[in-house]
Amino acid sequence: MPTSIRNVLECRLGLGRIALPTEAIDQLGEYEVGTTLPLRHRITCAIGVWNDQPILSVSLAEREPVARRTTHGAVFTPTKRGLRCAFEIDEPIGLAQITSIG
């Protein structure tokens, strides 16, 4: 079986950890989001603002239904079209390498 090594940013998310591929991350930082969008899934989404530009903020953690809050996240590298996306995290832990078996 062929294996490949990926560079990731390991982040704390609630009681667990998650690995985000470094090539997809544009910036890390704090930003504001509005109320959670009315979607009924384990993933919650809200519209946020990063450097005066709208972003779609995605979270795996349950969030309080408030009108506005500040969060931390990894803003993904922009694509040629559409809304930029960010993934909410509690804090970055550090860089790591993971092996995937394909």
Side-chain angles (χ1 to χ4, degrees):
M1 289 185 159
T3 61
S4 64
I5 295 176
R6 293 191 80 168
N7 294 318
V8 297
L9 176 66
E10 185 179 0
C11 302
R12 188 173 63 76
L13 182 63
L15 298 176
R17 293 183 180 195
I18 191 164
L20 301 174
T22 56
E23 70 270 7
I25 299 171
D26 185 29
Q27 297 179 39
L28 293 173
E30 183 177 271
Y31 57 97
E32 288 199 11
V33 295
T35 188
T36 302
L37 298 175
L39 304 172
R40 296 286 180 220
H41 299 286
R42 296 188 92 141
I43 298 173
T44 59
C45 299
I47 300 297
V49 178
W50 179 271
N51 292 334
D52 296 326
Q53 296 294 315
I55 59 171
L56 178 64
S57 187
V58 178
S59 176
L60 294 178
E62 192 171 322
R63 304 292 181 190
E64 290 294 320
V66 296
R68 192 168 157 169
R69 65 184 168 84
T70 301
T71 190
H72 294 87
V75 179
F76 294 124
T77 303
T79 60
K80 293 182 180 181
R81 57 191 160 120
L83 191 63
R84 290 190 71 183
C85 294
F87 188 82
E88 293 184 29
I89 61 173
D90 292 327
E91 70 177 325
I93 305 271
L95 296 173
Q97 290 185 326
I98 60 172
T99 302
S100 64
I101 301 171

